[in-house]
């Protein structure tokens, strides 16, 4: 089994890369999805968030009020650190369970951990390979405003709350350019996938009796 960490700043193009990796045969573990599972209604994770931030983080139906919580944590470094301290351990446990299931089903699986906060969580050393999808911050702001209808000030704040580009580059083994069209990024993913597949074939041939 090969373990790959995939990361990138918000609106850099990471989702396009992740989808292409699925199409090429990888098992992708989306940490945004796992984060939602970690604080599902009735979960210990959600109870911990309520203890930490109060009932105001709950929507009327008892689910997590994500926009309300985001408004709190993106404006307060200490609050964001507290949130991450609650959610990250649960997410890692869920990821480990799903990775084990993928390996049991196919010992030769390529498991991609799609981790937006890879640098912030100190998780980069856990993977055989770290792949970064990179795009300039000014372009990412424009994408958030144009495609997600986000206020420009909020978009800039979201980007500023994440790790700086130089920190991501420092842990990356492979950098993909997400500043162009989606098809251009998919071509880069294809080239990476083909190279990794060739390396795995070479390793098997060397190990063969």
């Amino acid at each position: 089994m090969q373990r790959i960490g995939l990361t990138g700043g918000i609106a850099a193009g990471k989702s396009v890369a992740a989808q292409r990796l699925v199409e090429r045969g990888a098992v992708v573990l989306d940490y945004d999805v796992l984060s939602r599972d970690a604080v599902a209604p009735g979960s210990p994770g959600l109870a911990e968030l309520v203890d930490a931030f109060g009932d105001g983080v709950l929507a009327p139906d008892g689910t997590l009020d994500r926009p309300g919580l985001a408004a709190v944590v993106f404006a307060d470094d200490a609050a964001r650190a507290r949130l991450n301290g609650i959610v990250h351990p649960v997410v890692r446990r869920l990821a480990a369970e799903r990775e084990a299931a993928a390996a049991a089903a196919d010992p030769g699986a390529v498991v991609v951990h799609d981790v937006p906060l890879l640098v912030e969580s100190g998780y980069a050393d856990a993977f055989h390979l770290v792949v970064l999808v990179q795009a300039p911050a000014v372009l990412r702001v424009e994408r958030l405003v144009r495609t997600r209808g986000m206020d420009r000030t909020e978009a800039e704040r979201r980007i500023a709350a994440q790790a700086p580009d130089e920190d991501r580059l420092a842990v990356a083994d492979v950098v993909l350019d997400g500043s162009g069209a989606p098809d251009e990024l998919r071509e880069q993913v294809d080239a990476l996938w083909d190279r990794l597949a060739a390396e795995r074939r070479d390793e098997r041939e060397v190990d063969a009796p």
Side-chain angles (χ1 to χ4, degrees):
M1 181 183 69
Q2 186 172 30
R3 306 176 73 250
I4 296 175
L6 174 67
T7 194
I10 187 171
K14 182 172 59 59
S15 296
V16 172
Q19 179 57 41
R20 186 57 177 164
L21 286 164
V22 170
E23 292 167 358
R24 292 304 305 267
V27 176
V28 174
L29 306 180
D30 185 334
Y31 277 47
D32 281 338
V33 173
L34 296 180
S35 294
R36 288 193 288 272
D37 292 345
V39 294
S43 68
L46 182 58
E48 284 191 59
L49 288 185
V50 172
D51 287 343
F53 299 104
D55 290 336
V57 301
L58 289 177
D61 62 357
T63 61
L64 180 64
D65 178 4
R66 292 183 175 276
L69 179 60
V72 173
V73 302
F74 280 109
D76 184 333
D77 289 344
R80 188 164 64 251
R82 193 173 187 186
L83 168 66
N84 291 340
I86 293 169
V87 176
H88 285 177
V90 182
V91 170
R92 289 188 183 189
R93 176 179 58 79
L94 294 174
E97 292 172 355
R98 286 160 174 73
E99 180 182 85
D106 177 10
V110 177
V111 180
V112 176
H113 293 245
D114 179 351
V115 192
L117 303 181
L118 181 69
V119 172
E120 294 88 336
S121 62
Y123 205 24
D125 292 339
F127 303 103
H128 300 131
L129 188 76
V130 173
V131 177
L132 168 64
V133 182
Q134 181 82 328
V138 64
L139 173 60
R140 291 157 51 206
V141 169
E142 293 301 325
R143 285 174 174 173
L144 290 172
V145 172
R146 185 180 71 253
T147 65
R148 304 192 194 184
M150 193 176 290
D151 175 83
R152 184 173 298 275
T153 300
E154 175 64 15
E156 291 173 346
R157 188 171 69 169
R158 290 291 184 95
I159 288 173
Q162 294 186 334
D165 291 343
E166 54 266 28
D167 288 359
R168 293 195 191 92
L169 288 166
V171 303
D173 300 301
V174 175
V175 179
L176 305 179
D177 181 4
S179 62
D183 280 348
E184 295 174 356
L185 180 53
R186 293 186 187 100
E187 289 176 0
Q188 295 175 66
V189 173
D190 285 345
L192 172 62
W193 182 268
D194 292 342
R195 176 169 69 80
L196 295 177
E199 290 174 359
R200 290 194 299 273
R201 283 196 301 271
D202 291 344
E203 289 175 2
R204 287 196 296 270
E205 290 174 1
V206 168
D207 294 338

